[in-house]
Amino acid sequence: MTDSTRLPEPLASWVETVLGPLKAVQDASHPRENSQVWRVTGRTGDHYVKVAPKPVLYTRETRAYREAVPHLGHGNAPALKDNSADLLALILTAVDGEPLKGEESLARRRAAHRQAGQLLRRFHEALPGHQAQDEAAHVVESAQSGLDKHIAEASDHLSTAEADTLRRLVSTLPGLGPLPAGWRHGDFWERNLLWNGRRCALIDFERSEPGPLVSDFVKLATSLWPDHPELRTTLFEGYGRSLSDAEECALVAFAAADAASALAYGPRHGDALVTARGRATVKRLMQEGRR
């Protein structure tokens, strides 16, 4: 978490060089230890200052802002005002809206998800698929190679049968052939959809990179769609196409990999929401496997 009243040095000096004197600084971090985000107000209006937790996340986010985010259109995502590799910091314009919440009426929530689908399609198509295939293959390899490590770390939260089921599902990925690829967001779910009641905007691109497009639907498939299948239908209406049979199989496999990762990460970091998502996914995959 950050100090909500001021920016630390030398970050403050750099930001004021770009934006001029600041009138107000407000903490906008996520409730986790390595999140450093501030909303700042100066003579040029409101901006966000974000310090990436790791160099790789800084590199991914700055690349996404330069190459993919402009395809979303004005006002549909923040714009990169400036960045500092030395500080791992970005200055971003502010966009209107708050993270989408379940309290919204169904009609408004569906409108937001339809727009989100449209934005995600533009983002995915910011990089032609043939240029993303090598990196997409690497994502598939990483899902496989990291699985046993995650299962070992989550051993207190997985039975032998559950671990075997996750391994079996993830092992199907190579046999599905090359999956449609492009620029994926990497953390696509309601937390990163800003909604002002009329318009949806997409934020938080630190996990963006080329890869298999279907992997972008895992967070929604494991946290939201089981209870709200109508939102899946609406999002794909906006997206403009359905998943292929191979992508549907890959979505299950990526969900299995995500569940192992969640059960390795959540308990270790005291994150009850991530842990619950992992457990719910494992339970659902086991039930579906018995049908």
Side-chain angles (χ1 to χ4, degrees), residues 165-186:
T165 295
L166 298 184
R167 290 191 184 95
R168 176 179 59 78
L169 292 173
V170 175
S171 72
T172 65
L173 280 171
L176 297 175
L179 298 164
W183 210 297
R184 60 177 191 155
H185 180 275

Side-chain angles (χ1 to χ4, degrees), residues 7-264:
L7 298 176
E9 292 292 350
L11 185 64
S13 297
W14 172 68
V15 170
E16 293 199 336
T17 298
V18 177
L19 299 179
L22 300 178
K23 299 177 182 177
V25 176
Q26 181 181 359
D27 180 23
S29 305
H30 289 300
R32 60 176 186 265
E33 185 178 355
N34 64 355
S35 180
Q36 297 185 80
V37 184
W38 297 265
R39 183 172 182 129
V40 300
T41 303
R43 62 191 178 201
T44 57
D46 290 342
H47 290 79
Y48 283 90
V49 177
K50 180 175 183 178
V51 177
K54 302 176 183 178
V56 64
L57 301 181
Y58 167 83
T59 299
R60 287 175 181 170
E61 191 149 28
T62 52
R63 183 185 175 194
Y65 271 111
R66 291 187 179 119
E67 300 182 29
V69 174
H71 290 258
L72 298 178
H74 178 72
N76 293 325
L80 180 64
K81 179 78 172 180
D82 205 348
N83 58 283
S84 168
D86 291 337
L87 299 170
L88 300 183
L90 302 88
I91 300 175
L92 309 169
T93 60
V95 290
D96 188 29
E98 298 291 334
L100 188 61
K101 296 181 174 63
E103 291 79 8
E104 287 283 354
S105 69
L106 179 58
R108 284 156 65 97
R109 204 174 183 193
R110 292 187 68 170
H113 278 256
R114 184 174 289 106
Q115 291 183 32
Q118 294 168 346
L119 293 177
L120 188 63
R121 182 69 179 268
R122 294 180 202 171
F123 194 83
H124 282 173
E125 294 180 344
L127 182 69
H130 68 277
Q131 295 183 24
Q133 280 298 342
D134 287 346
E135 289 173 272
H138 177 69
V139 171
V140 171
E141 292 169 3
S142 295
Q144 292 179 278
S145 63
L147 181 65
D148 281 335
K149 175 186 175 184
H150 291 150
I151 286 176
E153 293 174 347
S155 59
D156 290 343
H157 304 274
L158 286 170
S159 69
T160 300
E162 290 170 340
D164 288 344
T165 295
L166 298 184
R167 290 191 184 95
R168 176 179 59 78
L169 292 173
V170 175
S171 72
T172 65
L173 280 171
L176 297 175
L179 298 164
W183 210 297
R184 60 177 191 155
H185 180 275
D187 199 19
F188 184 75
W189 54 339
E190 287 190 318
R191 185 180 71 185
N192 291 324
L193 301 176
L194 297 189
W195 175 244
N196 66 2
R198 295 170 290 99
R199 188 175 188 176
C200 188
L202 189 56
I203 63 168
D204 202 354
F205 302 96
E206 67 181 25
R207 300 192 180 277
S208 298
E209 60 179 342
L213 302 181
V214 66
S215 62
D216 250 347
F217 300 106
V218 169
K219 289 285 183 66
L220 291 178
T222 57
S223 65
L224 183 66
W225 291 348
D227 296 324
H228 296 281
E230 73 281 359
L231 294 180
R232 172 185 168 131
T233 300
T234 299
L235 187 132
F236 280 109
E237 288 173 357
Y239 191 69
R241 74 168 178 89
S242 300
L243 297 180
S244 67
D245 290 344
E247 286 177 302
E248 290 285 4
C249 293
L251 182 59
V252 175
F254 279 122
D258 179 75
S261 176
L263 291 176

Side-chain angles (χ1 to χ4, degrees), residues 246-281:
E247 286 177 302
E248 290 285 4
C249 293
L251 182 59
V252 175
F254 279 122
D258 179 75
S261 176
L263 291 176
Y265 176 93
R268 187 170 71 248
H269 292 85
D271 193 324
L273 290 178
V274 170
T275 302
R277 189 181 84 238
R279 279 305 315 161
T281 300

